[in-house]
Amino acid sequence: MEYRFSNPVSPSRYDSKGLIADIPVRKNIFSEAEYVGSIRAQEDWNVLVAPIGEFNGGLDPELSFVSVSIPECLPERLEIISYANEFAFIYDGKQALLPLASESMNETLELFLQGATTGYINPQGSGKNKIQAQIFNEMVAIDRPRALVTMKAWAEFLQLTSSRDRSVKFDTLDEYIPYRVWDVGQMLMFGLVTFGMGLTIPENDIERSTEATRSAFAVIALTNDLFSWERERDAAKRDNMPHVVNAVWVIMGQHSVSEEEAKQICHSKIVELVQDYKRIVEQYKKDESVCLDLRRYIEALQYNISGNLAWSLTCPRSVPRGKI
């Protein structure tokens, strides 16, 4: 993959904790556009939905989320991608506080389906609806075909998410990982990356792309769980929840180990999955029978792994993605 819009970040600026092997962190050289998009999303939420209060979102003085997780995002698309991503962070963080949360999610699904089928979202109704319309209509103005694909991917994510049983308890990590891979936003990121980088994945290759990148999203999910464990454990205790939807909790039960031992097992599993994904990236780089954009997408997601880690370490107070 050609690197035109990003530079490598010095390893001295973050401690990888031995989790990402030799995958470098790269940062988009037009990262100021992420600040514009993210702040605009926060301001729109404040005005159209409700005051956010104390909220960090994806921004960080050094390594903001989109700039390091999609480092090759096209410069003219970085602002709207950041706006959409910040909306997702806010939505994740505020969803439980909104009245009739499941109805709110279903309403969002209807809007995404409307965009995917008609190519337009009417900016009517609630403030949240107006923000979603803003996202889609700005994307359509830049690249209509890929915006439609993105809306379809996001609708697919919400269709499954809205029907999930959030009270389910997992007995093993092998049972838990597929659940969290989807929950962490595999199809949301598919939409952000393909639109942001201007990639076209043929319809008959989308399922293949989902399968090929599963270990990458498993890494991201387990990394988020590892770094958010204490906060989620304490929240579960406060809310009298019977279990915690977190890999550390699952590992503690599966292996009858302490928190610290479970965290080490989680760490080791992340390292194993990173090596799995590195092999997949190398495999697809050499496979010229696969379309170029699919190969570029698979390669790009290794920077989602390293960027997510670097951002998680430098901006630990933000809401972890995928806890709707």
Side-chain angles (χ1 to χ4, degrees):
M1 187 169 69
E2 183 183 3
Y3 301 105
R4 296 182 295 160
F5 308 116
S6 65
N7 290 322
V9 176
S10 171
S12 66
R13 294 174 61 184
Y14 60 92
D15 177 6
S16 72
K17 308 292 185 183
L19 287 170
I20 55 174
D22 58 352
I23 300 175
V25 175
R26 301 187 67 90
K27 180 180 178 181
N28 195 288
I29 60 179
F30 299 96
S31 58
E32 64 276 4
E34 178 171 3
Y35 273 83
V36 174
S38 297
I39 295 300
R40 186 159 62 93
Q42 292 183 20
E43 290 176 347
D44 284 352
W45 185 283
N46 273 324
V47 172
L48 296 172
V49 183
I52 295 176
E54 184 178 353
F55 184 77
N56 297 289
L59 293 178
D60 179 81
E62 295 293 329
L63 302 172
S64 290
F65 183 81
V66 175
S67 294
V68 294
S69 64
I70 316 177
E72 282 298 302
C73 183
L74 299 172
E76 67 275 12
R77 303 185 184 205
L78 186 55
E79 181 182 337
I80 185 55
I81 285 298
S82 300
Y83 184 101
N85 182 75
E86 193 70 7
F87 170 76
F89 272 125
I90 300 169
Y91 189 84
D92 269 8
K94 302 298 181 181
Q95 176 74 358
L97 303 177
L98 293 173
L100 302 175
S102 61
E103 291 184 17
S104 176
M105 189 180 293
N106 289 335
E107 187 178 45
T108 298
L109 171 59
E110 289 178 8
L111 287 175
F112 286 165
L113 288 171
Q114 179 188 96
T117 55
T118 69
Y120 178 75
I121 293 179
N122 192 344
Q124 299 292 327
S126 70
K128 186 167 59 65
N129 289 3
K130 292 176 181 176
I131 293 174
Q132 289 165 149
Q134 178 77 13
I135 292 169
F136 180 62
N137 294 331
E138 284 190 35
M139 290 173 68
V140 165
I142 295 170
D143 186 339
R144 179 184 175 88
R146 292 189 180 96
L148 295 179
V149 171
T150 295
M151 284 299 111
K152 184 177 179 180
W154 291 354
E156 182 182 345
F157 166 74
L158 284 176
Q159 279 178 314
L160 180 57
T161 301
S162 62
S163 64
R164 291 188 132 182
D165 181 1
R166 297 287 157 184
S167 65
V168 65
K169 179 179 180 294
F170 297 93
D171 295 321
T172 69
L173 199 59
D174 286 344
E175 294 174 356
Y176 174 75
I177 287 176
Y179 176 94
R180 269 297 272 138
V181 163
W182 188 271
D183 207 38
V184 82
Q186 184 175 20
M187 294 310 291
L188 288 177
M189 188 55 66
F190 174 85
L192 289 173
V193 174
T194 54
F195 183 86
M197 292 180 61
L199 304 178
T200 299
I201 310 296
E203 183 74 26
N204 58 357
D205 275 340
I206 290 180
E207 184 175 346
R208 184 176 189 178
S209 74
T210 301
E211 183 60 36
T213 58
R214 199 174 304 280
S215 57
F217 286 101
V219 169
I220 293 165
L222 294 185
T223 299
N224 287 0
D225 280 7
L226 185 61
F227 288 110
S228 64
W229 161 247
E230 285 79 7
R231 181 171 61 251
E232 294 181 15
R233 175 202 62 198
D234 294 346
K237 286 181 181 178
R238 184 185 63 242
D239 298 336
N240 294 316
M241 299 296 292
H243 60 272
V244 188
V245 184
N246 187 291
V248 176
W249 175 269
V250 175
I251 293 167
M252 288 171 63
Q254 180 180 356
H255 298 286
S256 299
V257 295
S258 67
E259 287 187 20
E260 288 307 311
E261 289 172 308
K263 287 165 71 175
Q264 186 55 53
I265 292 171
C266 186
H267 185 288
S268 298
K269 185 64 176 181
I270 293 169
V271 171
E272 174 190 326
L273 288 166
V274 167
Q275 293 299 332
D276 285 346
Y277 195 65
K278 285 180 64 182
R279 286 191 289 270
I280 290 169
V281 170
E282 291 305 314
Q283 171 192 332
Y284 274 89
K285 275 184 181 179
K286 300 170 184 175
D287 190 349
E288 295 186 359
S289 68
V290 178
C291 78
L292 179 60
D293 277 0
L294 176 53
R295 285 184 281 153
R296 291 182 66 204
Y297 173 68
I298 291 169
E299 185 177 354
L301 281 186
Q302 67 183 330
Y303 302 110
N304 204 271
I305 289 173
S306 59
N308 178 71
L309 173 70
W311 172 79
S312 296
L313 292 167
T314 58
C315 195
R317 293 165 299 174
S318 292
V319 177
R321 180 182 296 280
K323 295 293 183 180
I324 295 176

